[in-house]
Amino acid sequence: MDDPQFYSELLRAYFDSTRDAIFVLCDEMKFLTCNKTTEHWLGISENELTRHNHRTPIVRLLGDHYDAEKFGVFFNSAIKGKSASFETLIRPLQGKDRWIDISMSRVDIENGDMVIAVARDISERKKHLAMIKKQSRYDELTGLPNRKYIIEYLKKYQNNLNKASHELVLLVLDLDRFKEVNESLGHKAGDLILQEIARRLSRVTDISSGEVVARLSGDEFAIAFPGIELSQSRITAQMIRQIVSQPFAVAGRKISLNCAIGVAALPTHTNDSSKLIQLAEVAMYNAKSHKLGISTYDPRLSGSVSERLHLATDLCESLKKSHIKAFFQPIINMRTKSLHAEVLARWQHPQRGNIVPDIFIPLAEETGSINKLTSKIMESALRACAPLFHEHVLESVSVNISPYCLSNEKLPTEIETYLEKYDIQASSLTLEITESVMMSNLPSTQKNIEALHKLGLAFSIDDFGTGYSSLSKLKYMQLKELKIDKSFILNIDQHENDSAITNAAITNAMIKMAHALGLEVVAEGIENEEIWSRLSDIDCDYGQGYWIAKPMSANKFISWVKNYHELIKSSSGIS
Ligand code: C2E
Ligand code: CA
Ligand code: CA
């Protein structure tokens, strides 16, 4: 078996059987020999490739896309004895396009300058890589571009800004209450909602004019509008909010979600595209925390965002150290003069002084500490009021319940425990909820409302008139009362003011409507006697406001209650 012919044929068979293209080139880059795969790739037979005097240098066979110069450099270094390899796309005239990984080394046989090349088809791998690269720039759930994509897009826009010289407006949008929906309806429903939002946003953007919608994270989306003026962006943002908030059916129910939108523009607010998203996010947080719906970036906001972060950390500390206290504001029955109260949270910050609830309640809602805050306020309010209930000098106390808390499944048991602990009747506790909660179809919220009703608690609709309650729903909820928002009440004593006259008419209508539905009415924001009398004249049931008393600490409230009863006794002549 040591026949050289045999080995040479064996070698040739092996040479031809491999899926790599193997070929030998002379110093002029012309073919000396090649295997079957090479023939197949180039669509030219070995005979043709190696025909004496007709041989064509390889670089003329590899198509137009091909980097001949690079090939030359690598070939020359291989021929000098330094093996080389590189990747390139080839487009042979008579063969398929392929990506190849080619390695070349010098062969020293018979003193000739020759290079042996082995090329592997890496088209599949390239395709796969391109797919992964694409995936890394797209969001899997919605199919939208992701944060990485939009960052690159904004960078490109910035680089071309001098040429285009048009402004680019970026909107960052974040859904309200998405976490709550996700948790109560399940993540599958949450995913469906995000996909629907993605579809709606895609419908309002025009890809052909370079507009892009991206999903930045969770329930946060961004939309880039190149070439629109910042002044137009408000209308666009309003339209988007409207489209997002339209109800949709998920898990067999109809729900609708609002969103907050932050607006920032390149180059108006920054020349640095990498900062643009951050600025729009700052504006979005501002819109969210001040319930503005839409907010445009303002440099003064940046400070407030870092301040918010500090405050969020302090809030957790303060809850542990009981720096958040329950204050009490009296509510008086306008006819019988019986006494009720609303519990309002106060944050006595050790360094910053008193911080108002309009700042820290939204913060607690966003950071998830609202449940803890509510139980603390609820317990300390019931503890303080227990003796007043037992002495029958206070009829009921109302606690504000944020929508987030109403979907907390532990709420009913927690309340039941406190009522037992302080020996208080359930009918002495009223929960103030907002219109949006009442309209919510979340199963966890509905379940809680039922459980709380069973316990015997009453519900009051807070800030009535500012939301979008449906009257038919009001009828079915077992409500005790409506609290007309103070924005309707504060100015109704001003007879010449148009808006005051409208407010008075609306208040009057709301009272009539509530009574027709069998509900009582509380008016808050009574700042003087005249407002009190006007409300009393139009049959309002309860009054609350600075004219009666401002919110006060538990100790002050206890003394106030005593004084109040003495005053009532003396004025009604009962000694
Ligand atoms: P709200 O529930 O509408 O509470 C009434 C607000 O009106 C209180 O502001 C009260 O001090 C104020 N107010 C009462 N009478 C008058 C008046 O005659 N004139 C004027 N101008 N204002 C009056 P406050 O205490 O700053 O609370 C603001 C909001 O913070 C509350 O609005 C409520 O939404 C929220 N909040 C307060 N405490 C809590 C709490 O413990 N839990 C939750 N979830 N929210 C709370
Ligand atoms: Ca309230
Ligand atoms: Ca209110």
Side-chain angles (χ1 to χ4, degrees):
M1 281 287 190
D2 48 28
D3 176 2
Q5 173 83 22
F6 171 77
Y7 283 108
S8 145
E9 278 174 18
L10 194 64
L11 207 62
R12 181 75 216 187
Y14 169 73
F15 188 53
D16 280 336
S17 70
T18 163
R19 287 167 63 187
D20 293 341
I22 306 175
F23 48 91
V24 179
L25 302 175
C26 72
D27 56 353
E28 289 173 319
M29 290 196 208
K30 292 174 180 170
F31 285 89
L32 295 172
T33 181
C34 75
N35 70 349
K36 287 256 180 293
T37 305
T38 313
E39 291 181 324
H40 173 60
W41 285 9
L42 297 177
I44 306 173
S45 70
E46 183 187 10
N47 269 344
E48 187 77 10
L49 283 169
T50 59
R51 198 144 51 106
H52 211 60
N53 295 333
H54 289 283
R55 289 177 299 156
T56 319
I58 184 168
V59 287
R60 300 242 302 268
L61 299 171
L62 299 180
D64 48 7
H65 206 76
Y66 176 68
D67 189 346
E69 200 183 315
K70 191 169 168 189
F71 196 98
V73 172
F74 280 86
F75 180 85
N76 285 335
S77 85
I79 213 157
K80 284 183 193 136
K82 207 172 152 219
S83 300
S85 69
F86 62 99
E87 291 179 1
T88 182
L89 175 70
I90 58 168
R91 284 193 164 151
L93 274 179
Q94 295 159 62
K96 245 173 58 175
D97 291 4
R98 308 170 194 267
W99 268 96
I100 59 167
D101 178 1
I102 180 164
S103 46
M104 294 187 284
S105 339
R106 180 184 167 85
V107 266
D108 285 311
I109 312 175
E110 297 171 352
N111 294 331
D113 283 335
M114 286 182 277
V115 164
I116 182 163
V118 178
R120 173 155 294 184
D121 186 346
I122 55 163
S123 307
E124 278 305 311
R125 196 176 86 210
K126 278 275 174 197
K127 229 196 271 173
H128 190 66
L129 279 177
M131 206 171 77
I132 290 175
K133 199 168 166 209
K134 186 172 176 229
Q135 274 170 357
S136 79
R137 296 164 74 242
Y138 284 83
D139 167 48
E140 227 177 293
L141 179 69
T142 59
L144 290 181
N146 62 13
R147 187 180 279 265
K148 195 167 162 198
Y149 181 105
I150 198 142
I151 288 173
E152 287 170 14
Y153 163 93
L154 292 172
K155 200 166 169 188
K156 267 193 217 145
Y157 193 87
Q158 182 192 348
N159 292 340
N160 290 328
L161 203 57
N162 289 342
K163 285 181 233 157
S165 79
H166 279 305
E167 204 164 36
L168 178 143
V169 172
L170 185 77
L171 308 187
V172 165
L173 174 161
D174 189 282
L175 297 175
D176 295 344
R177 291 171 48 226
F178 180 72
K179 238 196 235 141
E180 194 187 318
V181 174
N182 207 23
E183 276 160 21
S184 53
L185 289 184
H187 295 273
K188 230 181 178 168
D191 285 354
L192 288 175
I193 291 173
L194 293 174
Q195 285 168 336
E196 173 61 20
I197 300 287
R199 261 192 297 276
R200 291 183 186 185
L201 296 179
S202 302
R203 260 182 247 135
V204 294
T205 42
D206 179 6
I207 299 178
S208 65
S209 1
E211 298 172 359
V212 175
V213 190
R215 179 175 172 218
L216 297 181
S217 64
D219 59 341
E220 193 179 316
F221 295 84
I223 313 171
F225 291 101
I228 76 165
E229 304 268 320
L230 185 58
S231 53
Q232 290 170 27
S233 64
R234 207 174 169 83
I235 295 172
T236 311
Q238 263 160 357
M239 174 196 69
I240 289 173
R241 277 196 87 217
Q242 219 168 32
I243 287 168
V244 167
S245 67
Q246 265 154 30
F248 41 81
V250 187
R253 355 183 135 251
K254 236 180 177 178
I255 64 164
S256 65
L257 292 177
N258 282 323
C259 65
I261 297 182
V263 184
L266 189 78
T268 317
H269 296 125
T270 175
N271 278 320
D272 181 355
S273 68
S274 65
K275 289 218 177 97
L276 190 66
I277 296 181
Q278 206 189 328
L279 300 189
E281 281 174 333
V282 165
M284 184 274 288
Y285 287 129
N286 182 52
K288 201 153 251 210
S289 55
H290 293 98
K291 301 198 172 94
L292 301 171
I294 301 163
S295 162
T296 301
Y297 177 73
D298 181 313
R300 282 170 297 183
L301 291 176
S302 284
S304 69
V305 164
S306 74
E307 164 148 331
R308 276 174 73 72
L309 284 177
H310 283 298
L311 272 187
T313 324
D314 291 355
L315 185 64
C316 289
E317 264 313 284
S318 289
L319 274 172
K320 279 189 211 135
K321 293 185 180 155
S322 300
H323 287 155
I324 297 190
K325 298 233 153 54
F327 268 48
F328 301 83
Q329 189 178 27
I331 301 173
I332 292 177
N333 184 315
M334 291 184 145
R335 278 178 293 273
T336 66
K337 306 291 182 288
S338 72
L339 189 61
H340 305 254
E342 176 175 9
V343 184
L344 294 157
R346 291 289 176 269
W347 183 1
Q348 287 154 343
H349 192 287
Q351 283 88 39
R352 294 164 199 248
N354 286 341
I355 300 175
V356 297
D358 285 329
I359 302 276
F360 69 81
I361 297 289
L363 196 65
E365 289 176 340
E366 272 165 47
T367 56
S369 46
I370 187 71
N371 286 328
K372 204 164 167 196
L373 188 149
T374 306
S375 14
K376 288 224 163 196
I377 292 289
M378 172 94 66
E379 179 166 17
S380 55
L382 293 179
R383 193 194 310 121
C385 292
L388 303 177
F389 289 135
H390 299 152
E391 289 168 37
H392 305 287
V393 286
L394 183 70
E395 304 248 323
S396 76
V397 69
S398 302
V399 178
N400 290 286
I401 302 289
S402 130
Y404 290 85
C405 297
L406 214 60
S407 61
N408 166 19
E409 55 185 27
K410 294 197 193 113
L411 187 74
T413 5
E414 217 174 78
I415 294 182
E416 197 175 7
T417 315
Y418 296 145
L419 291 175
E420 273 173 23
K421 186 170 171 188
Y422 299 107
D423 187 24
I424 292 172
Q425 304 274 320
S427 56
S428 302
L429 181 59
T430 300
L431 303 181
E432 292 193 5
I433 59 176
T434 53
E435 292 174 78
S436 63
V437 171
M438 200 186 57
M439 294 299 129
S440 137
N441 282 327
L442 297 181
S444 51
T445 303
Q446 294 289 330
K447 222 172 112 195
N448 268 349
I449 292 181
E450 274 162 37
L452 293 163
H453 267 311
K454 256 198 197 138
L455 271 181
L457 301 187
F459 284 94
S460 165
I461 300 299
D462 205 355
D463 304 337
F464 190 76
T466 58
Y468 48 90
S469 299
S470 92
L471 288 177
S472 60
K473 269 247 164 146
L474 280 182
K475 235 167 60 184
Y476 293 113
M477 288 268 312
Q478 293 163 275
L479 294 175
K480 174 185 160 207
E481 65 190 21
L482 301 183
K483 279 190 92 163
I484 300 182
D485 191 62
K486 59 178 174 289
S487 57
F488 294 99
I489 307 293
L490 286 167
N491 66 356
I492 57 170
D493 54 332
Q494 297 162 20
H495 307 281
E496 288 85 42
N497 179 328
D498 276 353
S499 103
I501 294 165
T502 315
N503 281 343
I506 292 175
T507 303
N508 196 349
M510 286 197 280
I511 293 173
K512 300 274 169 313
M513 178 203 77
H515 287 169
L517 292 170
L519 301 173
E520 296 194 297
V521 178
V522 186
E524 60 180 20
I526 302 179
E527 291 194 350
N528 57 47
E529 193 174 0
E530 171 154 16
I531 300 180
W532 171 278
S533 315
R534 292 206 69 179
L535 288 166
S536 177
D537 289 347
I538 54 175
D539 241 3
C540 183
D541 304 284
Y542 297 89
Q544 172 185 4
Y546 292 171
W547 181 65
I548 302 153
K550 285 195 169 178
M552 54 199 131
S553 68
N555 283 340
K556 280 201 179 138
F557 180 61
I558 290 167
S559 328
W560 190 93
V561 172
K562 272 197 191 119
N563 280 340
Y564 173 76
H565 282 285
E566 273 161 24
L567 210 79
I568 294 286
K569 268 189 219 162
S570 59
S571 69
S572 63
I574 307 164
S575 54

